[in-house]
Amino acid sequence: MKDKNTIQKEIHLSGIGIHSGKNVDILLKPSSSGEIIFRRTDVGNVELTLDPNKIETRNSTYITSKECKIQTLEHFLAVLYMFSIDSLIVEINGDEIPIMDGSASPFVQAILKAGTKQIPEKKKDIKILKPFSIREKDAVVSVSPDPEFKITYSIEYDHPTIQKQKVSMSVNLDNFVTEIAPARTFGLLKDVPALRDMGLALGGSLDNAIVLDEKGVISGPLRYPDEFVRHKVLDLIGDLSLLGSPLMGHFKAHKAGHWLHLKAIHFLLDSPEFWSYV
Ligand SMILES: [Zn+2]
């Protein structure tokens, strides 16, 4: 059993939503409820909680209800998971978590500055007991037992800067902060018109994403040569956090994305024989 935690002080952040293109403020407030509660202050203070049945994906991971949605949760949720923050009120005056610089580092810095503290509530780990795989065409998520939380991610892009990239690691707060959180989201310039036609990437820019044309990166230097696959690890951590517990298992993903991460989560929730609380 591990302690649940909240933050010590309020945190205010603001910025543009990468998909909505709108400016948004978020105010994180300490809480002793033992839950992460999102409150849409621009929609009559409607509250949303992270029920996996209310999560959908469309180029980001978002939560939806009758009244409203909040999109691009994944980088923010990855940081809460890694800092073991399970008790928080997130007031937000728009429908998207700000993209900041495209990475999770601004959220990391804000939480390091505010500090965390335990609340008098405990949580159980989820331990994977049996291996399984979820496939869709050539994308795979495979999960197997492991005494630690490990991620192996591989991607293949028909692009000279990305090509094949793979990273494998035991995930802990130290290596998350230095190796994963700074990795930015990325996109191909040629995909932008189609995304914008769908109402996506309206706030995307050279300042909040790695942007590639046919030849290479046009948004400045990479933070790591394999920043692309490191960002996929960040996305996977954020999505897996929807299980609501610290994880003991090895999660391997190949050419996957939010939609397949979510399928693996639903498989686990529907298949209690594959895991147990410890
Ligand atoms: Zn991402």
Side-chain angles (χ1 to χ4, degrees):
M1 300 269 264
K2 295 195 172 93
D3 290 301
K4 288 194 172 188
N5 297 281
T6 188
I7 52 174
Q8 289 194 31
K9 286 189 281 199
E10 288 189 357
I11 296 171
H12 173 246
L13 294 164
S14 59
I16 198 166
I18 194 169
H19 291 305
S20 68
K22 292 186 180 140
N23 274 303
V24 64
D25 295 289
I26 56 174
L27 182 63
L28 313 183
K29 294 179 162 178
S31 155
S32 54
S33 71
E35 265 193 303
I36 295 167
I37 296 168
F38 290 84
R39 186 180 289 153
R40 279 286 301 266
T41 56
D42 58 326
V43 188
N45 288 324
V46 170
E47 292 189 344
L48 298 101
T49 51
L50 292 167
D51 174 352
N53 292 316
K54 294 182 187 157
I55 298 287
E56 295 183 32
T57 66
R58 184 173 179 248
N59 288 60
S60 84
T61 298
Y62 66 96
I63 183 163
T64 181
S65 75
K66 277 202 309 286
E67 299 93 347
C68 62
K69 65 176 176 183
I70 301 172
Q71 49 185 343
T72 317
L73 295 168
E74 55 270 20
H75 311 154
F76 176 63
L77 292 185
V79 173
L80 297 185
Y81 174 88
M82 293 309 304
F83 279 89
S84 203
I85 295 170
D86 340 79
S87 189
L88 192 68
I89 293 166
V90 183
E91 291 190 347
I92 179 163
N93 65 354
D95 74 352
E96 186 167 15
I97 301 286
I99 190 66
M100 311 308 288
D101 68 351
S103 83
S105 283
F107 301 124
V108 167
Q109 296 311 320
I111 288 179
L112 286 172
K113 201 168 156 205
T116 62
K117 69 172 182 204
Q118 291 174 7
I119 63 163
E121 230 182 276
K122 301 272 183 197
K123 59 186 169 190
K124 295 172 184 162
D125 286 17
I126 285 180
K127 181 182 180 182
I128 300 297
L129 301 176
K130 293 197 285 188
F132 67 91
S133 293
I134 309 284
R135 279 166 202 279
E136 206 172 292
K137 295 182 184 160
D138 52 353
V140 191
V141 173
S142 302
V143 182
S144 53
D146 199 283
E148 293 179 78
F149 177 36
K150 280 191 194 145
I151 290 184
T152 298
Y153 217 117
S154 51
I155 55 174
E156 277 178 42
Y157 277 75
D158 185 16
H159 188 284
T161 309
I162 309 180
Q163 299 178 326
K164 289 186 183 177
Q165 300 195 341
K166 183 176 180 179
V167 65
S168 190
M169 62 196 296
S170 290
V171 183
N172 57 52
L173 182 58
D174 283 347
N175 63 21
F176 175 76
V177 168
T178 57
E179 308 296 327
I180 300 300
R184 293 163 296 163
T185 192
F186 58 95
L188 305 176
L189 197 58
K190 70 174 172 62
D191 295 339
V192 170
L195 287 168
R196 294 203 165 151
D197 282 349
M198 293 191 286
L200 297 169
L202 298 172
S205 76
L206 302 182
D207 296 325
N208 59 28
I210 307 169
V211 182
L212 301 122
D213 69 8
E214 273 97 86
K215 295 198 201 90
V217 178
I218 59 166
S219 51
L222 292 174
R223 295 179 177 176
Y224 315 91
D226 60 351
E227 188 169 355
F228 308 92
V229 73
R230 290 176 191 238
H231 186 81
K232 298 295 282 187
V233 173
L234 173 64
D235 284 342
L236 180 57
I237 295 170
D239 290 341
L240 290 174
S241 77
L242 294 166
L243 287 162
S245 297
L247 299 166
M248 290 164 69
H250 190 167
F251 295 76
K252 295 181 202 142
H254 176 65
K255 295 177 83 168
H258 296 300
W259 92 98
L260 205 61
H261 303 163
L262 189 63
K263 269 196 166 183
I265 289 166
H266 282 296
F267 177 87
L268 275 170
L269 293 173
D270 294 342
S271 315
E273 68 275 23
F274 282 81
W275 57 279
S276 68
Y277 281 122
V278 289

